[in-house]
Amino acid sequence: MRLRALLDTDALGLRLLGGEEELDRAVRGVMTTDLRDPSRYLSGGELVLTGLAWRRDPADSEPFVRLLVQAGVAALAAGEAELGDVPDDLAVACARHRLPLFAVHESVAFATITEHVVRQVSGERAGDLAAVVDRHRRMMTSGPAGGGPDVVLDLLGTDLDLRAWVLSPAGRLIAGPKEAGPALTPEVCARLAAEQLAAARTGRRGPHRAQAGTATYSLFPIRGSGRSGPAARDVRETVLSDWLLAVEADAGDWPEERLDLVHGVTQLIAVERDRRDAARTVRRRLAQEVLELVQSGAAPAEIAARLRVAAPVLLPGLGTAPHWQVVVARVEWDGGDPETGPAAQSLLEEILVDPLATGPEPSDRIAVAHTGDEAVALVPLPAVSTEHDGSESGILAETLLATVREPLTAGLDEDGRVTLGVSAAVHSAEGLRGALEEARHARRVAAARTGRVCAAGHQELASHVLLLPFVPDDVRRAFTARLLDPLRDYDRRHRAELIPTLEAFLACDGSWTRCAARLHLHVNTLRYRVGRIEQLTSRDLSRLEDKLDFFLALRMS
């Protein structure tokens, strides 16, 4: 399609600001971005949509436009929602480089423009195959009866003989083909999600090739305007929230037309996800209101009233929720540059869904807010029962991350962490403040552990280990050095194994005979070693206080 045709569609809300003589340029695609340098994602001929979040001062416009021109884009369309008007410095830069510039009215969503361009471009490029995309679009936009992503995947199978699945970043199956054939196992879903997240962190453009068993898959990212649009300035802000389309085929030898068609399908699925995210806004707002009331110390009656409003939305037909649990999550990156609150919010919404549950609807029973770099989930429970071992049912920290650890670790790529804390269930508004603090404390305990993906539950907060994560690093180092460095130095010089002896002695509760048997030593040898430990540290291992100090020092070292 030509740029000129965009101005003929009133529903797109485009206003030409410059480049009238270039309106016969062909548009071969569309991309929404606010990266300061999006060139690695551009192949030429795109209409670039931007919300201007990359622009911090007028000097930013010239290098941004220059990069777009070098990548061969067809035109730039800037949204007016962020700044009210398109700044003059951007118009001057576009005029200097002969890049057509459009203004997008704040009432028009980028998803609307994307869908229009994809539909038109796919029609011109793919010939008869365009009917497939158009059928997908009509069925997806016809409401719940259309079937959403499942219908798109079914039509990919019937029209193009392609089996495909939509997966969450945590590897949950969201949609898949209904025709006969082997389904993706949870293990394969996790593997494909991990491959996609690892590839996305490298900045390579999709599709990415992945092998699972004997099958070959091509992985296409699904980026909605809400994740790769105005708010996304760093790939780390969206890598843990983007869906993916897994196609059972090797796209490496596909003709350009077929690649364009599948890319168009991913954009249509992204429009569907944006629509579902918009519906989720109500639940997020409810969670945000409850969180603000709890944190501000509002009266329990006021919080209870808000919960009565939230419960029917989250648990239709139940009326009220007898119990609530709070889950706190944080995503942290080395360097701490990107904003992580929204990413943690999207990720927590996915993690809290039963990994065996398919479709996007199960997450519609979870309300997640975010404040700063922290996401807080308010999870309603229809009932809480006591298991045979005395523990309560509900969300369990030890199983929460089991199925998503592999893909998330790949997405974190050695420079990020995800930590979660889970509270006990509470049955009243009075208990929510304590549940929130309990979940936050549990998350700090998880953060003190090693590993990229960690969780801790309220059951772990009764231990003395809870105290260790909150000791300042310099205090920890000084405390352990004072007690253990003399023993380490002695071990290095004499190979006396005083540290292993101390660990075994404490593990045996100070029993000489059990400790000697455990270390395969004579009791007199053990007494000599313990005496040397006491001499070097000026401590007495018969005293409870000194035993406890040694125990904590070993745990913190």
Side-chain angles (χ1 to χ4, degrees):
M1 66 178 299
R2 304 290 174 180
L3 286 175
R4 192 180 304 279
L6 296 173
L7 294 174
D8 296 334
T9 306
D10 294 337
L12 300 184
L14 294 176
R15 178 165 50 90
L16 183 65
L17 299 181
E20 185 173 4
E21 65 280 5
E22 306 291 337
L23 290 180
D24 286 329
R25 290 186 182 184
V27 179
R28 294 194 293 271
V30 61
M31 178 188 180
T32 301
T33 186
D34 263 301
L35 294 171
R36 296 172 70 86
D37 179 7
S39 56
R40 61 181 175 179
Y41 302 111
L42 298 167
S43 58
E46 293 94 348
L47 170 67
V48 174
L49 306 173
T50 179
L52 299 176
W54 52 265
R55 181 185 176 275
R56 295 167 185 167
D57 57 62
D60 291 337
S61 293
E62 170 65 25
F64 180 77
V65 171
R66 184 170 62 253
L67 289 168
L68 296 186
V69 172
Q70 290 172 351
V73 306
L76 175 65
E80 296 179 321
E82 182 78 13
L83 302 178
D85 292 304
V86 177
D88 292 339
D89 49 272
L90 182 60
V92 169
C94 288
R96 182 182 298 117
H97 292 279
R98 300 179 64 84
L99 180 67
L101 176 63
F102 297 92
V104 182
H105 193 270
E106 61 181 339
S107 63
V108 179
F110 283 177
T112 300
I113 300 174
T114 297
E115 183 178 0
H116 177 83
V117 173
V118 168
R119 187 168 65 249
Q120 297 299 322
V121 171
S122 296
E124 294 174 4
R125 285 187 174 190
D128 293 339
L129 290 179
V132 179
V133 176
D134 194 53
R135 286 170 62 193
H136 296 170
R137 181 192 61 80
R138 289 198 307 271
M139 298 190 76
M140 286 182 65
T141 57
S142 62
D150 297 281
V151 172
V152 177
L153 302 183
D154 287 341
L155 291 176
L156 277 177
T158 56
D159 289 40
L160 298 180
D161 196 27
L162 292 175
R163 281 167 45 84
W165 298 263
V166 177
L167 305 178
S168 80
R172 184 172 64 88
L173 181 62
I174 292 171
K178 293 185 176 64
E179 80 278 5
L184 289 187
T185 65
E187 293 75 20
V188 171
C189 289
R191 172 71 183 277
L192 296 180
E195 293 279 353
Q196 170 62 24
L197 289 175
R201 288 302 309 280
T202 67
R204 291 185 288 117
R205 299 188 63 188
H208 308 297
R209 188 176 182 274
Q211 195 78 25
T214 59
T216 299
Y217 299 87
S218 295
L219 310 178
F220 296 79
I222 299 174
R223 299 189 177 100
S225 62
R227 285 159 298 282
S228 57
R233 296 179 293 276
D234 190 309
V235 67
R236 294 176 296 177
E237 294 184 32
T238 60
V239 70
L240 297 178
S241 58
D242 286 336
W243 286 357
L244 71 122
L245 178 69
V247 181
E248 190 178 8
D250 188 347
D253 55 357
W254 281 4
E256 192 70 23
E257 289 80 5
R258 175 163 286 207
L259 277 174
D260 287 343
L261 180 64
V262 176
H263 278 300
V265 168
T266 65
Q267 290 179 314
L268 290 176
I269 296 175
V271 172
E272 173 70 8
R273 182 178 181 184
D274 287 343
R275 187 169 64 184
R276 294 179 187 272
D277 281 353
R280 187 176 293 173
T281 301
V282 175
R283 294 183 296 280
R284 288 177 170 178
R285 186 180 300 118
L286 286 171
Q288 196 74 40
E289 291 174 352
V290 173
L291 176 61
E292 290 172 359
L293 288 173
V294 171
Q295 292 189 134
S296 64
E302 187 177 359
I303 300 174
R306 183 57 57 187
L307 289 177
R308 284 194 293 272
V309 173
V313 176
L314 301 176
L315 293 172
L318 187 64
T320 59
H323 297 87
W324 299 87
Q325 264 183 294
V326 175
V327 182
V328 171
R330 178 169 290 189
V331 177
E332 297 171 293
W333 300 101
D334 294 349
D337 290 330
E339 182 184 2
T340 58
Q345 182 181 46
S346 297
L347 185 61
L348 190 52
E349 287 170 337
E350 290 291 348
I351 290 176
L352 288 173
V353 178
D354 183 344
L356 298 180
T358 60
E361 289 75 13
S363 62
D364 293 349
R365 302 295 175 262
I366 299 164
V368 184
H370 77 83
T371 172
D373 291 338
E374 179 184 74
V376 179
L378 187 66
V379 184
L381 304 175
V384 174
S385 61
T386 301
E387 306 294 343
H388 66 276
D389 60 357
S391 63
E392 290 184 341
S393 62
I395 298 171
L396 300 177
E398 59 267 25
T399 59
L400 191 59
L401 297 180
T403 58
V404 301
R405 184 170 275 108
E406 178 186 357
L408 293 185
T409 300
L412 296 166
D413 192 31
E414 300 303 320
D415 69 343
R417 296 194 74 203
V418 171
T419 52
L420 290 91
V422 182
S423 78
V426 296
H427 65 276
S428 67
E430 290 88 342
L432 272 184
R433 185 176 181 85
L436 176 60
E437 291 305 316
E438 190 173 58
R440 283 173 169 163
H441 283 311
R443 193 207 64 78
R444 294 188 189 104
V445 170
R449 295 171 176 166
T450 57
R452 293 288 166 185
V453 183
C454 298
H458 63 94
Q459 303 92 338
E460 300 173 66
L461 301 187
S463 170
H464 58 274
V465 178
L466 169 65
L467 301 175
L468 301 185
F470 311 113
V471 178
D473 287 343
D474 54 345
V475 176
R476 292 159 67 105
R477 286 192 294 269
F479 181 74
T480 57
R482 185 168 63 252
L483 280 178
L484 302 183
D485 279 2
L487 306 182
R488 292 178 179 135
D489 291 341
Y490 192 88
D491 280 348
R492 278 195 295 269
R493 293 196 308 269
H494 303 284
R495 299 182 181 178
E497 298 187 356
L498 296 185
I499 292 290
T501 300
L502 176 61
E503 291 174 331
F505 187 73
L506 295 174
C508 294
D509 297 324
S511 170
W512 296 99
T513 54
R514 282 194 290 125
C515 184
R518 179 171 179 169
L519 294 174
H520 305 290
L521 297 174
H522 192 278
V523 171
N524 289 340
T525 304
L526 174 61
R527 290 185 184 277
Y528 172 81
R529 288 187 183 180
V530 170
R532 179 63 66 184
I533 291 170
E534 293 175 334
Q535 180 184 19
L536 291 170
T537 61
S538 300
R539 297 296 183 110
D540 183 355
L541 277 169
S542 66
R543 298 177 67 247
L544 175 61
E545 294 87 346
D546 288 343
K547 286 181 182 177
L548 181 59
D549 283 349
F550 277 122
F551 178 80
L552 292 175
L554 289 169
R555 292 301 296 265
M556 288 191 290
S557 63

